[in-house]
Amino acid sequence: MEINPVIIFGASGLGKAALDIFKSQDILVFCFLDTNEELHGAEIGEVTVMGAPSNDGFLKHIGKKCDAFVAIEDQETRQKVTQMLKERRKSMPVNAIHKDASISPSAYLGYGNFINAGARIGYDAKVPESCVIHSNAVLEHNAELEDLVTVGSGAIIGTGAKIGKGALIGSGAIISSNVIVGEGAQVAPGSLVMTEVKANATVFGMPAQEI
């Protein structure tokens, strides 16, 4: 799919990583928008932070001359900005996918996802909307994420595992095959999850236990 010039919402680390992805694919990034007024007018990689995400002067171009990518690390805010784009601009954010990521042709990809270098998305895996998949993470075949999931660097989501909305899987964690991780749950880095994790629970260890 051809991508128009992009406006990136969020000028933090995730926004900078998205800029790197778009630049590597010769996609023009028009500007950043960020709520932090101290960043307004600053340049990041030769791209200027033009103002706040609510700036109508820039929003009016989205869906016409520009696409949008939401690179806000706070999940609740990322969801609100994505919803605002849907309602006010009738536009879905584009994906930022690193050229060195590997995605099966049969995998399902929705909108507004960040997929970094070395990530591997297997056969019939599902990545719906506004997910963040960091470098070298793996989704094995038939693994399913819900919206707003974050998968840390080097984490492995096993075959048929299901990760609930807004869950956070820490770097290097392993979710065993067919395990369910509930909505809003957090899996600490390096943990091995072999049994179901309840919604909003935090687990740690090998094997992981609720803390």
Side-chain angles (χ1 to χ4, degrees), residues 85-145:
L85 291 170
K86 291 179 186 178
E87 292 174 356
R88 291 177 59 180
R89 300 306 311 153
K90 309 301 181 188
S91 178
M92 296 292 291
V94 296
N95 291 314
I97 302 174
H98 198 283
K99 63 183 180 180
D100 293 331
S102 174
I103 300 174
S104 169
S106 67
Y108 172 79
L109 284 184
Y111 296 90
N113 298 298
F114 173 88
I115 302 176
N116 214 348
R120 289 185 289 154
I121 314 297
Y123 183 88
D124 272 355
K126 180 179 179 182
V127 182
E129 185 176 310
S130 300
C131 294
V132 176
I133 301 176
H134 288 289
S135 300
N136 301 312
V138 176
L139 271 66
E140 299 286 7
H141 64 273
N142 297 114
E144 294 187 13
L145 309 184

